């Protein structure tokens, strides 16, 4: 059927970079979100929520130009500068400083929701997208980092995404080596993050540090096992060894978690300015340009916001990207299926149809009924389109016998049975796909 034109002036498309999600897609997204929630809870994380709208200052303080220039920021009707959150970490730290700090430590929390970034949309890169974010506040760095990395990897395993590259670096190595004023440091690190070497050269020239360009470039290209640390110390003479010792201990602790296939990558710089220690990213090589499904690391934002110097570590997954990674690997994501669709045939069956509907729903069986007074064959088409498991046909004969005719829509087999037998069958092993 041709789409009817909308009223004059009514926009036909969602705003650029935002998405509508239909029922099938929503089922897949919810399935993945549910798996991420369950996994975080299995690791002892508890859910929190923060507002979508925050004061602008929360993000201008320390998220870095990468985020700030991408903000949806505006004045509210009271003239206050506000912004739609571009991420969760700053909001969680704000919440920690105002209330959560009274909870016993370590505090392990997760949250899921929409975040907004005004960036150039493309496949896998949106202006409104969903993040699944986890944070640990108040655990010693090594213990917290190992736990957070193990959670991130288990989340992907639980969803069924296998083809991943986990890259772990340490931004503290570069920060303590550069020892620049925050703004200068930010510029050098951003050019390294983007591998924008002309910008790096310009920046280093301005700072009269041209001689470190080559060593820095060699350093950020180093990837591999713990053996790269010796090479890194040679590539960048003067870099402090503590970061390498830390990453070596982290590798050992991750092994105890059963996490083995990680790569150390000294080029993980991250686009956000608040990281101070371990930083990590997970890529799904099947996703093309926007292949990073997760990013995170250790930071001390609470202190920067005037609070205590508590260690913090966390990560965020892009939900759209995990769903895409799972689909690219052919993972069958569980989808909700309607159990029964009730089809009363003829006037005499209408009352009984509603009774059956009520009893099935009351027994916890998901059930829908014909609302359009269609004939049985149209209703069967509709039930099939909804991917219902059983069509429950009720005609005059079934009303008289006190039974229902049940058509299994997967096998096509039809049989008569009591309502109790149908409830038992529908509640039995439910196919999830
Ligand atoms: P982030 O790397 O900016 O980190 O974002 C995390 C993830 O969100 C990315 O790895 C990617 O999967 C997804 N993502 C980012 N931008 C987009 C976009 N425009 N469209 C779709 N997906 C996107 C953070 O946000 C940090 N707050 C993570 C963190 C938590 N660090 C410590 N705690």
């Amino acid at each position: 059927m041709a789409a009817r034109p909308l009223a004059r002036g009514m926009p036909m498309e969602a705003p650029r970079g935002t998405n509508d999600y239909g029922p099938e897609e929503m089922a897949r997204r919810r399935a993945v979100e549910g798996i991420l929630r369950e996994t975080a809870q299995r690791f002892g994380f508890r859910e929190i929520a923060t507002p979508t709208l925050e004061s602008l200052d929360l993000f201008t303080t320390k998220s870095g130009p990468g985020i700030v220039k991408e903000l949806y920021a505006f004045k509210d009707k009271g003239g206050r500068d506000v912004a739609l959150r571009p991420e969760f970490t700053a909001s969680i730290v704000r919440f920690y400083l105002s209330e959560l700090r009274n909870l016993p430590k370590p505090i392990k929390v997760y949250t899921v929701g929409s975040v907004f970034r005004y960036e150039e949309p493309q496949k896998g890169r949106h202006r409104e997208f969903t993040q699944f974010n986890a944070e640990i506040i108040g655990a010693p760095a090594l213990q917290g980092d190992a736990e957070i990395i193990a959670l991130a990897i288990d989340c992907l395993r639980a969803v069924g995404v296998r083809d991943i590259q986990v890259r772990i670096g340490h931004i503290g190595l570069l920060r303590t080596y550069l020892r620049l004023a925050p703004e200068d440091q930010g510029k050098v690190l951003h050019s390294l993050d983007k591998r924008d070497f002309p910008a790096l050269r310009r920046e280093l020239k301005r700072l009269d540090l041209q001689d470190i360009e080559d060593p820095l470039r060699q350093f950020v290209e180093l990837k591999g096992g713990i053996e790269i640390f010796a090479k890194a110390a040679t590539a960048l003479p003067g870099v402090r060894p503590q970061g390498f010792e830390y990453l070596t201990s982290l590798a050992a602790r991750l092994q105890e978690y059963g996490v083995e296939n990680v790569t150390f990558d000294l080029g993980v710089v991250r686009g956000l300015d608040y990281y101070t220690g371990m930083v990590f990213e997970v890529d799904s090589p099947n996703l093309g340009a926007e292949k990073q499904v997760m990013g995170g690391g250790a930071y001390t934002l609470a202190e920067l916001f005037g609070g205590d110097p508590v260690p913090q570590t966390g990560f965020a997954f892009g939900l759209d990207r995990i769903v895409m990674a799972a689909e690219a690997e052919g993972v069958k994501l569980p989808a909700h299926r309607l159990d029964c669709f009730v089809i009363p045939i003829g006037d005499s069956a209408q009352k009984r149809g509603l009774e059956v509907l009520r009893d099935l729903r009351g027994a916890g069986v998901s059930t829908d009924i014909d609302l359009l007074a269609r004939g049985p064959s149209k209703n069967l088409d509709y039930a099939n389109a909804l991917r219902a498991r059983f069509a429950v046909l009720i005609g005059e004969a079934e009303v008289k016998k006190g039974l229902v005719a049940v058509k299994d829509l997967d096998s096509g087999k039809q049989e008569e049975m009591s309502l109790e037998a149908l409830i038992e069958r529908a509640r039995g092993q439910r196919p999830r796909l």
Side-chain angles (χ1 to χ4, degrees), residues 87 89 117 119 124-126 129 131 133-135 270 272 274-275 292-297 299 314-318 321:
E87 55 129 21
T89 311
R117 296 185 187 177
E119 55 185 345
R125 196 206 289 161
H126 313 298
F129 58 99
Q131 278 192 344
N133 187 104
E135 307 285 344
R270 311 278 300 125
L272 298 158
Y274 47 66
Y275 298 103
Q292 194 191 303
V293 292
M294 188 236 66
Y299 58 96
F315 66 73
F317 276 107
R321 294 194 191 168

PDB file of all heavy atoms in Angstrom, residues 87 89 117 119 124-126 129 131 133-135 270 272 274-275 292-297 299 314-318 321, ligand 1:
ATOM      1  N   GLU A  87      27.702  10.898  27.423  1.00  0.00           N
ATOM      2  CA  GLU A  87      28.257   9.674  28.001  1.00  0.00           C
ATOM      3  C   GLU A  87      27.782   9.636  29.444  1.00  0.00           C
ATOM      4  O   GLU A  87      27.112  10.571  29.898  1.00  0.00           O
ATOM      5  CB  GLU A  87      29.786   9.701  27.934  1.00  0.00           C
ATOM      6  CG  GLU A  87      30.402  10.926  28.581  1.00  0.00           C
ATOM      7  CD  GLU A  87      31.497  10.609  29.586  1.00  0.00           C
ATOM      8  OE1 GLU A  87      32.063   9.513  29.532  1.00  0.00           O
ATOM      9  OE2 GLU A  87      31.744  11.465  30.459  1.00  0.00           O
ATOM     10  N   THR A  89      29.919   8.642  32.327  1.00  0.00           N
ATOM     11  CA  THR A  89      30.914   8.644  33.403  1.00  0.00           C
ATOM     12  C   THR A  89      30.843   9.905  34.262  1.00  0.00           C
ATOM     13  O   THR A  89      30.825   9.820  35.493  1.00  0.00           O
ATOM     14  CB  THR A  89      32.322   8.456  32.810  1.00  0.00           C
ATOM     15  OG1 THR A  89      32.246   7.350  31.925  1.00  0.00           O
ATOM     16  CG2 THR A  89      33.350   8.163  33.877  1.00  0.00           C
ATOM     17  N   ARG A 117      25.495  12.707  20.806  1.00  0.00           N
ATOM     18  CA  ARG A 117      26.724  13.387  20.357  1.00  0.00           C
ATOM     19  C   ARG A 117      26.468  13.967  18.974  1.00  0.00           C
ATOM     20  O   ARG A 117      26.008  13.246  18.080  1.00  0.00           O
ATOM     21  CB  ARG A 117      27.906  12.401  20.284  1.00  0.00           C
ATOM     22  CG  ARG A 117      28.271  11.838  21.650  1.00  0.00           C
ATOM     23  CD  ARG A 117      29.504  10.967  21.592  1.00  0.00           C
ATOM     24  NE  ARG A 117      29.710  10.327  22.883  1.00  0.00           N
ATOM     25  CZ  ARG A 117      30.675   9.461  23.154  1.00  0.00           C
ATOM     26  NH1 ARG A 117      31.551   9.134  22.220  1.00  0.00           N
ATOM     27  NH2 ARG A 117      30.792   8.925  24.343  1.00  0.00           N
ATOM     28  N   GLU A 119      27.753  14.443  16.058  1.00  0.00           N
ATOM     29  CA  GLU A 119      28.870  14.125  15.176  1.00  0.00           C
ATOM     30  C   GLU A 119      28.371  13.693  13.808  1.00  0.00           C
ATOM     31  O   GLU A 119      27.167  13.554  13.606  1.00  0.00           O
ATOM     32  CB  GLU A 119      29.808  13.099  15.807  1.00  0.00           C
ATOM     33  CG  GLU A 119      29.178  11.808  16.259  1.00  0.00           C
ATOM     34  CD  GLU A 119      30.190  10.930  16.990  1.00  0.00           C
ATOM     35  OE1 GLU A 119      31.391  11.193  16.895  1.00  0.00           O
ATOM     36  OE2 GLU A 119      29.762   9.985  17.652  1.00  0.00           O
ATOM     37  N   GLY A 124      26.875   2.801  11.949  1.00  0.00           N
ATOM     38  CA  GLY A 124      27.424   2.511  13.278  1.00  0.00           C
ATOM     39  C   GLY A 124      27.777   3.753  14.076  1.00  0.00           C
ATOM     40  O   GLY A 124      28.223   3.647  15.204  1.00  0.00           O
ATOM     41  N   ARG A 125      27.580   4.935  13.467  1.00  0.00           N
ATOM     42  CA  ARG A 125      27.860   6.161  14.226  1.00  0.00           C
ATOM     43  C   ARG A 125      26.630   7.065  14.169  1.00  0.00           C
ATOM     44  O   ARG A 125      26.251   7.534  13.095  1.00  0.00           O
ATOM     45  CB  ARG A 125      29.081   6.888  13.654  1.00  0.00           C
ATOM     46  CG  ARG A 125      29.611   7.916  14.645  1.00  0.00           C
ATOM     47  CD  ARG A 125      30.342   9.024  13.985  1.00  0.00           C
ATOM     48  NE  ARG A 125      31.629   8.579  13.451  1.00  0.00           N
ATOM     49  CZ  ARG A 125      32.288   9.261  12.530  1.00  0.00           C
ATOM     50  NH1 ARG A 125      31.778  10.364  12.024  1.00  0.00           N
ATOM     51  NH2 ARG A 125      33.431   8.825  12.075  1.00  0.00           N
ATOM     52  N   HIS A 126      26.001   7.244  15.333  1.00  0.00           N
ATOM     53  CA  HIS A 126      24.742   7.981  15.374  1.00  0.00           C
ATOM     54  C   HIS A 126      24.870   9.202  16.280  1.00  0.00           C
ATOM     55  O   HIS A 126      25.825   9.324  17.026  1.00  0.00           O
ATOM     56  CB  HIS A 126      23.620   7.076  15.912  1.00  0.00           C
ATOM     57  CG  HIS A 126      23.587   5.731  15.268  1.00  0.00           C
ATOM     58  ND1 HIS A 126      23.366   5.566  13.928  1.00  0.00           N
ATOM     59  CD2 HIS A 126      23.789   4.484  15.774  1.00  0.00           C
ATOM     60  CE1 HIS A 126      23.417   4.278  13.634  1.00  0.00           C
ATOM     61  NE2 HIS A 126      23.681   3.597  14.731  1.00  0.00           N
ATOM     62  N   PHE A 129      22.500   7.413  20.570  1.00  0.00           N
ATOM     63  CA  PHE A 129      22.762   5.982  20.603  1.00  0.00           C
ATOM     64  C   PHE A 129      22.694   5.495  22.044  1.00  0.00           C
ATOM     65  O   PHE A 129      22.663   6.312  22.977  1.00  0.00           O
ATOM     66  CB  PHE A 129      24.111   5.639  19.942  1.00  0.00           C
ATOM     67  CG  PHE A 129      25.308   6.311  20.553  1.00  0.00           C
ATOM     68  CD1 PHE A 129      26.113   5.656  21.458  1.00  0.00           C
ATOM     69  CD2 PHE A 129      25.632   7.615  20.206  1.00  0.00           C
ATOM     70  CE1 PHE A 129      27.229   6.276  22.023  1.00  0.00           C
ATOM     71  CE2 PHE A 129      26.739   8.247  20.768  1.00  0.00           C
ATOM     72  CZ  PHE A 129      27.535   7.583  21.675  1.00  0.00           C
ATOM     73  N   GLN A 131      24.170   3.480  25.258  1.00  0.00           N
ATOM     74  CA  GLN A 131      25.377   2.912  25.878  1.00  0.00           C
ATOM     75  C   GLN A 131      24.976   2.027  27.053  1.00  0.00           C
ATOM     76  O   GLN A 131      24.019   2.318  27.771  1.00  0.00           O
ATOM     77  CB  GLN A 131      26.298   4.023  26.412  1.00  0.00           C
ATOM     78  CG  GLN A 131      27.191   4.641  25.369  1.00  0.00           C
ATOM     79  CD  GLN A 131      28.294   5.519  25.976  1.00  0.00           C
ATOM     80  OE1 GLN A 131      28.226   5.910  27.138  1.00  0.00           O
ATOM     81  NE2 GLN A 131      29.290   5.839  25.176  1.00  0.00           N
ATOM     82  N   ASN A 133      26.868   1.058  30.360  1.00  0.00           N
ATOM     83  CA  ASN A 133      28.050   1.593  31.048  1.00  0.00           C
ATOM     84  C   ASN A 133      28.216   0.951  32.423  1.00  0.00           C
ATOM     85  O   ASN A 133      27.254   0.823  33.171  1.00  0.00           O
ATOM     86  CB  ASN A 133      27.838   3.103  31.198  1.00  0.00           C
ATOM     87  CG  ASN A 133      29.061   3.809  31.734  1.00  0.00           C
ATOM     88  OD1 ASN A 133      29.769   4.460  30.981  1.00  0.00           O
ATOM     89  ND2 ASN A 133      29.342   3.699  33.019  1.00  0.00           N
ATOM     90  N   ALA A 134      29.428   0.541  32.760  1.00  0.00           N
ATOM     91  CA  ALA A 134      29.692  -0.023  34.092  1.00  0.00           C
ATOM     92  C   ALA A 134      30.858   0.718  34.721  1.00  0.00           C
ATOM     93  O   ALA A 134      31.794   1.116  34.016  1.00  0.00           O
ATOM     94  CB  ALA A 134      30.027  -1.509  33.968  1.00  0.00           C
ATOM     95  N   GLU A 135      30.794   0.925  36.033  1.00  0.00           N
ATOM     96  CA  GLU A 135      31.884   1.615  36.734  1.00  0.00           C
ATOM     97  C   GLU A 135      32.147   0.922  38.066  1.00  0.00           C
ATOM     98  O   GLU A 135      31.213   0.431  38.713  1.00  0.00           O
ATOM     99  CB  GLU A 135      31.513   3.081  37.072  1.00  0.00           C
ATOM    100  CG  GLU A 135      31.021   3.944  35.936  1.00  0.00           C
ATOM    101  CD  GLU A 135      32.093   4.412  34.957  1.00  0.00           C
ATOM    102  OE1 GLU A 135      33.293   4.346  35.281  1.00  0.00           O
ATOM    103  OE2 GLU A 135      31.712   4.832  33.848  1.00  0.00           O
ATOM    104  N   ARG A 270      42.528   6.991  23.657  1.00  0.00           N
ATOM    105  CA  ARG A 270      41.150   7.366  24.024  1.00  0.00           C
ATOM    106  C   ARG A 270      40.867   8.842  23.748  1.00  0.00           C
ATOM    107  O   ARG A 270      41.718   9.699  23.940  1.00  0.00           O
ATOM    108  CB  ARG A 270      40.820   7.060  25.500  1.00  0.00           C
ATOM    109  CG  ARG A 270      41.187   5.682  25.953  1.00  0.00           C
ATOM    110  CD  ARG A 270      40.162   4.620  25.586  1.00  0.00           C
ATOM    111  NE  ARG A 270      38.862   4.870  26.149  1.00  0.00           N
ATOM    112  CZ  ARG A 270      37.735   4.954  25.418  1.00  0.00           C
ATOM    113  NH1 ARG A 270      37.767   4.822  24.118  1.00  0.00           N
ATOM    114  NH2 ARG A 270      36.575   5.135  25.989  1.00  0.00           N
ATOM    115  N   LEU A 272      38.599  10.727  25.299  1.00  0.00           N
ATOM    116  CA  LEU A 272      38.124  11.504  26.445  1.00  0.00           C
ATOM    117  C   LEU A 272      39.317  11.837  27.343  1.00  0.00           C
ATOM    118  O   LEU A 272      40.205  11.012  27.517  1.00  0.00           O
ATOM    119  CB  LEU A 272      37.070  10.701  27.221  1.00  0.00           C
ATOM    120  CG  LEU A 272      35.817  10.367  26.401  1.00  0.00           C
ATOM    121  CD1 LEU A 272      35.076   9.170  26.970  1.00  0.00           C
ATOM    122  CD2 LEU A 272      34.902  11.571  26.347  1.00  0.00           C
ATOM    123  N   TYR A 274      39.728  12.345  30.596  1.00  0.00           N
ATOM    124  CA  TYR A 274      39.863  12.105  32.040  1.00  0.00           C
ATOM    125  C   TYR A 274      40.658  10.864  32.433  1.00  0.00           C
ATOM    126  O   TYR A 274      40.955  10.666  33.603  1.00  0.00           O
ATOM    127  CB  TYR A 274      38.485  12.063  32.704  1.00  0.00           C
ATOM    128  CG  TYR A 274      37.433  11.220  32.028  1.00  0.00           C
ATOM    129  CD1 TYR A 274      37.544   9.838  31.939  1.00  0.00           C
ATOM    130  CD2 TYR A 274      36.294  11.824  31.491  1.00  0.00           C
ATOM    131  CE1 TYR A 274      36.555   9.085  31.334  1.00  0.00           C
ATOM    132  CE2 TYR A 274      35.307  11.073  30.883  1.00  0.00           C
ATOM    133  CZ  TYR A 274      35.443   9.710  30.812  1.00  0.00           C
ATOM    134  OH  TYR A 274      34.463   8.959  30.207  1.00  0.00           O
ATOM    135  N   TYR A 275      41.035  10.025  31.471  1.00  0.00           N
ATOM    136  CA  TYR A 275      41.736   8.790  31.838  1.00  0.00           C
ATOM    137  C   TYR A 275      43.135   9.084  32.361  1.00  0.00           C
ATOM    138  O   TYR A 275      43.836   9.958  31.844  1.00  0.00           O
ATOM    139  CB  TYR A 275      41.833   7.839  30.645  1.00  0.00           C
ATOM    140  CG  TYR A 275      40.479   7.402  30.148  1.00  0.00           C
ATOM    141  CD1 TYR A 275      39.922   7.958  28.998  1.00  0.00           C
ATOM    142  CD2 TYR A 275      39.747   6.452  30.854  1.00  0.00           C
ATOM    143  CE1 TYR A 275      38.665   7.577  28.558  1.00  0.00           C
ATOM    144  CE2 TYR A 275      38.481   6.065  30.416  1.00  0.00           C
ATOM    145  CZ  TYR A 275      37.956   6.634  29.277  1.00  0.00           C
ATOM    146  OH  TYR A 275      36.715   6.260  28.852  1.00  0.00           O
ATOM    147  N   GLN A 292      34.804  -0.144  16.903  1.00  0.00           N
ATOM    148  CA  GLN A 292      35.014  -0.189  18.351  1.00  0.00           C
ATOM    149  C   GLN A 292      33.687  -0.408  19.076  1.00  0.00           C
ATOM    150  O   GLN A 292      32.816   0.469  19.075  1.00  0.00           O
ATOM    151  CB  GLN A 292      35.649   1.117  18.793  1.00  0.00           C
ATOM    152  CG  GLN A 292      36.222   1.046  20.196  1.00  0.00           C
ATOM    153  CD  GLN A 292      36.605   2.419  20.682  1.00  0.00           C
ATOM    154  OE1 GLN A 292      37.403   3.106  20.056  1.00  0.00           O
ATOM    155  NE2 GLN A 292      36.023   2.839  21.781  1.00  0.00           N
ATOM    156  N   VAL A 293      33.525  -1.579  19.679  1.00  0.00           N
ATOM    157  CA  VAL A 293      32.248  -1.865  20.362  1.00  0.00           C
ATOM    158  C   VAL A 293      32.265  -1.375  21.802  1.00  0.00           C
ATOM    159  O   VAL A 293      31.220  -1.206  22.426  1.00  0.00           O
ATOM    160  CB  VAL A 293      31.859  -3.367  20.327  1.00  0.00           C
ATOM    161  CG1 VAL A 293      31.526  -3.824  18.931  1.00  0.00           C
ATOM    162  CG2 VAL A 293      32.929  -4.261  20.933  1.00  0.00           C
ATOM    163  N   MET A 294      33.435  -1.139  22.330  1.00  0.00           N
ATOM    164  CA  MET A 294      33.548  -0.741  23.733  1.00  0.00           C
ATOM    165  C   MET A 294      34.813   0.049  23.982  1.00  0.00           C
ATOM    166  O   MET A 294      35.832  -0.197  23.336  1.00  0.00           O
ATOM    167  CB  MET A 294      33.594  -2.014  24.589  1.00  0.00           C
ATOM    168  CG  MET A 294      33.531  -1.777  26.054  1.00  0.00           C
ATOM    169  SD  MET A 294      34.951  -2.503  26.913  1.00  0.00           S
ATOM    170  CE  MET A 294      36.297  -1.571  26.319  1.00  0.00           C
ATOM    171  N   GLY A 295      34.748   1.001  24.915  1.00  0.00           N
ATOM    172  CA  GLY A 295      35.939   1.738  25.318  1.00  0.00           C
ATOM    173  C   GLY A 295      35.866   2.042  26.800  1.00  0.00           C
ATOM    174  O   GLY A 295      34.772   2.206  27.355  1.00  0.00           O
ATOM    175  N   GLY A 296      37.026   2.097  27.455  1.00  0.00           N
ATOM    176  CA  GLY A 296      36.992   2.419  28.884  1.00  0.00           C
ATOM    177  C   GLY A 296      38.377   2.570  29.451  1.00  0.00           C
ATOM    178  O   GLY A 296      39.375   2.594  28.727  1.00  0.00           O
ATOM    179  N   GLY A 297      38.433   2.648  30.783  1.00  0.00           N
ATOM    180  CA  GLY A 297      39.724   2.768  31.445  1.00  0.00           C
ATOM    181  C   GLY A 297      39.598   3.361  32.834  1.00  0.00           C
ATOM    182  O   GLY A 297      38.488   3.576  33.343  1.00  0.00           O
ATOM    183  N   TYR A 299      40.399   6.286  35.801  1.00  0.00           N
ATOM    184  CA  TYR A 299      40.413   7.751  35.843  1.00  0.00           C
ATOM    185  C   TYR A 299      40.203   8.215  37.277  1.00  0.00           C
ATOM    186  O   TYR A 299      39.893   7.405  38.165  1.00  0.00           O
ATOM    187  CB  TYR A 299      39.296   8.293  34.922  1.00  0.00           C
ATOM    188  CG  TYR A 299      37.935   7.782  35.312  1.00  0.00           C
ATOM    189  CD1 TYR A 299      37.104   8.536  36.112  1.00  0.00           C
ATOM    190  CD2 TYR A 299      37.508   6.515  34.919  1.00  0.00           C
ATOM    191  CE1 TYR A 299      35.873   8.046  36.507  1.00  0.00           C
ATOM    192  CE2 TYR A 299      36.282   6.022  35.311  1.00  0.00           C
ATOM    193  CZ  TYR A 299      35.472   6.791  36.112  1.00  0.00           C
ATOM    194  OH  TYR A 299      34.264   6.310  36.517  1.00  0.00           O
ATOM    195  N   GLY A 314      36.089   2.026  34.489  1.00  0.00           N
ATOM    196  CA  GLY A 314      34.794   1.684  33.892  1.00  0.00           C
ATOM    197  C   GLY A 314      34.893   1.524  32.395  1.00  0.00           C
ATOM    198  O   GLY A 314      35.968   1.651  31.803  1.00  0.00           O
ATOM    199  N   PHE A 315      33.740   1.223  31.801  1.00  0.00           N
ATOM    200  CA  PHE A 315      33.687   1.097  30.337  1.00  0.00           C
ATOM    201  C   PHE A 315      32.280   1.382  29.861  1.00  0.00           C
ATOM    202  O   PHE A 315      31.336   1.384  30.650  1.00  0.00           O
ATOM    203  CB  PHE A 315      34.117  -0.308  29.868  1.00  0.00           C
ATOM    204  CG  PHE A 315      33.176  -1.422  30.277  1.00  0.00           C
ATOM    205  CD1 PHE A 315      31.939  -1.587  29.678  1.00  0.00           C
ATOM    206  CD2 PHE A 315      33.537  -2.320  31.271  1.00  0.00           C
ATOM    207  CE1 PHE A 315      31.080  -2.615  30.058  1.00  0.00           C
ATOM    208  CE2 PHE A 315      32.687  -3.360  31.647  1.00  0.00           C
ATOM    209  CZ  PHE A 315      31.451  -3.496  31.038  1.00  0.00           C
ATOM    210  N   ALA A 316      32.143   1.613  28.567  1.00  0.00           N
ATOM    211  CA  ALA A 316      30.808   1.680  27.956  1.00  0.00           C
ATOM    212  C   ALA A 316      30.825   0.928  26.633  1.00  0.00           C
ATOM    213  O   ALA A 316      31.769   1.060  25.847  1.00  0.00           O
ATOM    214  CB  ALA A 316      30.381   3.120  27.735  1.00  0.00           C
ATOM    215  N   PHE A 317      29.781   0.120  26.451  1.00  0.00           N
ATOM    216  CA  PHE A 317      29.541  -0.526  25.159  1.00  0.00           C
ATOM    217  C   PHE A 317      28.604   0.345  24.361  1.00  0.00           C
ATOM    218  O   PHE A 317      27.701   0.962  24.931  1.00  0.00           O
ATOM    219  CB  PHE A 317      28.789  -1.848  25.359  1.00  0.00           C
ATOM    220  CG  PHE A 317      29.663  -3.020  25.694  1.00  0.00           C
ATOM    221  CD1 PHE A 317      29.686  -3.547  26.975  1.00  0.00           C
ATOM    222  CD2 PHE A 317      30.431  -3.610  24.713  1.00  0.00           C
ATOM    223  CE1 PHE A 317      30.486  -4.635  27.275  1.00  0.00           C
ATOM    224  CE2 PHE A 317      31.234  -4.694  25.004  1.00  0.00           C
ATOM    225  CZ  PHE A 317      31.263  -5.209  26.290  1.00  0.00           C
ATOM    226  N   GLY A 318      28.758   0.377  23.046  1.00  0.00           N
ATOM    227  CA  GLY A 318      27.736   0.946  22.180  1.00  0.00           C
ATOM    228  C   GLY A 318      26.786  -0.196  21.836  1.00  0.00           C
ATOM    229  O   GLY A 318      27.206  -1.172  21.215  1.00  0.00           O
ATOM    230  N   ARG A 321      26.363  -1.222  18.253  1.00  0.00           N
ATOM    231  CA  ARG A 321      27.523  -1.902  17.663  1.00  0.00           C
ATOM    232  C   ARG A 321      27.625  -3.347  18.119  1.00  0.00           C
ATOM    233  O   ARG A 321      28.060  -4.195  17.348  1.00  0.00           O
ATOM    234  CB  ARG A 321      28.798  -1.129  17.989  1.00  0.00           C
ATOM    235  CG  ARG A 321      28.767   0.236  17.294  1.00  0.00           C
ATOM    236  CD  ARG A 321      30.115   0.885  17.311  1.00  0.00           C
ATOM    237  NE  ARG A 321      29.984   2.272  16.883  1.00  0.00           N
ATOM    238  CZ  ARG A 321      30.923   3.174  17.008  1.00  0.00           C
ATOM    239  NH1 ARG A 321      32.082   2.858  17.551  1.00  0.00           N
ATOM    240  NH2 ARG A 321      30.735   4.412  16.585  1.00  0.00           N
TER     241      ARG A 321
HETATM  242  P1  LIG B   1      33.540   6.111  24.308  1.00  0.00           P
HETATM  243  O1  LIG B   1      34.653   5.325  23.721  1.00  0.00           O
HETATM  244  O2  LIG B   1      33.409   7.528  23.918  1.00  0.00           O
HETATM  245  O3  LIG B   1      33.680   5.973  25.884  1.00  0.00           O
HETATM  246  O4  LIG B   1      32.175   5.386  23.967  1.00  0.00           O
HETATM  247  C1  LIG B   1      31.976   4.033  24.327  1.00  0.00           C
HETATM  248  C2  LIG B   1      31.385   3.274  23.167  1.00  0.00           C
HETATM  249  O5  LIG B   1      30.199   3.901  22.700  1.00  0.00           O
HETATM  250  C3  LIG B   1      32.279   3.182  21.942  1.00  0.00           C
HETATM  251  O6  LIG B   1      33.234   2.164  22.079  1.00  0.00           O
HETATM  252  C4  LIG B   1      31.264   2.857  20.852  1.00  0.00           C
HETATM  253  O7  LIG B   1      30.957   1.464  20.830  1.00  0.00           O
HETATM  254  C5  LIG B   1      30.039   3.601  21.306  1.00  0.00           C
HETATM  255  N1  LIG B   1      29.899   4.856  20.547  1.00  0.00           N
HETATM  256  C6  LIG B   1      30.622   5.989  20.685  1.00  0.00           C
HETATM  257  N2  LIG B   1      30.187   6.935  19.832  1.00  0.00           N
HETATM  258  C7  LIG B   1      29.170   6.390  19.137  1.00  0.00           C
HETATM  259  C8  LIG B   1      28.280   6.865  18.112  1.00  0.00           C
HETATM  260  N3  LIG B   1      28.340   8.111  17.669  1.00  0.00           N
HETATM  261  N4  LIG B   1      27.323   6.017  17.615  1.00  0.00           N
HETATM  262  C9  LIG B   1      27.220   4.755  18.086  1.00  0.00           C
HETATM  263  N5  LIG B   1      28.017   4.254  19.072  1.00  0.00           N
HETATM  264  C10 LIG B   1      28.973   5.064  19.582  1.00  0.00           C
HETATM  265  C11 LIG B   1      32.828   6.552  26.775  1.00  0.00           C
HETATM  266  O8  LIG B   1      31.764   7.028  26.497  1.00  0.00           O
HETATM  267  C12 LIG B   1      33.300   6.452  28.224  1.00  0.00           C
HETATM  268  N6  LIG B   1      32.339   7.171  29.064  1.00  0.00           N
HETATM  269  C13 LIG B   1      33.456   5.008  28.642  1.00  0.00           C
HETATM  270  C14 LIG B   1      33.881   4.866  30.069  1.00  0.00           C
HETATM  271  C15 LIG B   1      33.122   4.518  31.128  1.00  0.00           C
HETATM  272  N7  LIG B   1      35.109   5.074  30.531  1.00  0.00           N
HETATM  273  C16 LIG B   1      35.125   4.868  31.844  1.00  0.00           C
HETATM  274  N8  LIG B   1      33.910   4.554  32.211  1.00  0.00           N
END
